[in-house]
Amino acid sequence: MGTDRVRNLTLLTAASLTILAATVIAPSLPGMAIFFEDTANSEFLVRLSLTVPALFAAIGAPFAGLLLDRIGRRPVLMGALVLYGIAGSFGFFSESLLTILASRAFLGLAVAGVMTSVLSLIADYFSG
């Protein structure tokens, strides 16, 4: 497989991560509601865990854009992918709804980094 094909496949695969951040958790919301039923406001907080990444992605995207211009697109993408992996898997190990919400907020920041860097790299590499 040529270098251009690997690069393009990598960028397209990374772009799909932005959608997965919200949709992957959706099937587990009923189970989370049952598990955290003793937590105050758990019904609201469980539903909030679905939307927190989008909020933090919107907040973090302008700052990710600044980082892209200052340190480069690839370092931001690599850092965002690492943060995505850590924050995305943190909920598996947490037994507190508030720490899950915090990890989802960091996941949103990672999505902001992935989204802005991937779109910038696609624009950089596009010819035609």
Side-chain angles (χ1 to χ4, degrees):
M1 198 182 281
T3 306
D4 289 345
R5 284 189 118 177
V6 171
R7 179 193 65 210
N8 294 344
L9 183 62
T10 302
L11 289 176
L12 291 173
T13 303
S16 70
L17 293 177
T18 60
I19 300 300
L20 290 176
T23 58
V24 167
I25 196 174
S28 67
L29 293 180
M32 285 176 63
I34 293 168
F35 186 81
F36 292 114
E37 66 186 357
D38 295 336
T39 304
N41 298 321
S42 65
E43 200 172 304
F44 170 72
L45 294 174
V46 166
R47 285 183 289 171
L48 190 63
S49 69
L50 185 64
T51 58
V52 163
L55 173 65
F56 277 84
I59 291 169
F63 299 106
L66 290 172
L67 278 176
L68 291 176
D69 292 338
R70 298 229 171 145
I71 65 172
R73 286 142 171 69
R74 290 179 69 188
V76 172
L77 178 59
M78 293 300 144
L81 289 173
V82 168
L83 181 60
Y84 189 99
I86 293 169
S89 62
F90 192 78
F92 179 74
F93 303 105
S94 177
E95 292 195 18
S96 164
L97 190 51
L98 294 178
T99 56
I100 289 174
L101 285 172
S103 72
R104 301 286 293 163
F106 281 107
L107 182 64
L109 294 175
V111 165
V114 169
M115 182 175 51
T116 55
S117 58
V118 164
L119 290 175
S120 297
L121 284 167
I122 288 171
D124 290 347
Y125 292 133
F126 178 77
S127 64

